Amino acid sequence: MPTKFERIRVMIKETSDLEVRTFNITLIAPTGDFQLTDLLRQRGVISGLDVELKHSLKRTTEEYLQSAESLVSGLASKQLTTKRLRKDSRADGEAIEPDSTDSSPRGS
């Protein structure tokens, strides 16, 4: 017999137009799995699942969008470094590190 966590199903339907992207998220679980949490919520011991879901979705969406920005930022930084190395490359094709203080002979 599956546990209550294994019985939870999540379905997501995504739609978008020119201005707005909409995610319809459906969470399906047996009513009986919520008996204890419903009692605790009614007594004010815990907040409702809807509150928790809103916080989780906002946090997850923020992290998702930030990860894309970080990736682009990292790629832009890498591209700048690559351009600098190309600009500073020697005639023999060996790249010169822009801030290199290493005076040891190469190839030894």
Side-chain angles (χ1 to χ4, degrees), residues 42-55:
Q42 289 169 1
R43 292 188 171 105
V45 177
I46 62 173
S47 58
L49 182 58
D50 58 334
V51 173
E52 298 294 327
L53 287 171
K54 285 178 189 177
H55 289 328

Side-chain angles (χ1 to χ4, degrees), residues 4-20:
K4 66 174 102 183
F5 306 112
E6 295 170 333
R7 291 190 295 256
I8 297 171
R9 290 189 336 210
V10 178
M11 295 181 288
I12 301 171
K13 182 179 178 188
E14 179 182 347
T15 59
S16 61
D17 58 29
L18 294 175
E19 299 290 323
V20 177

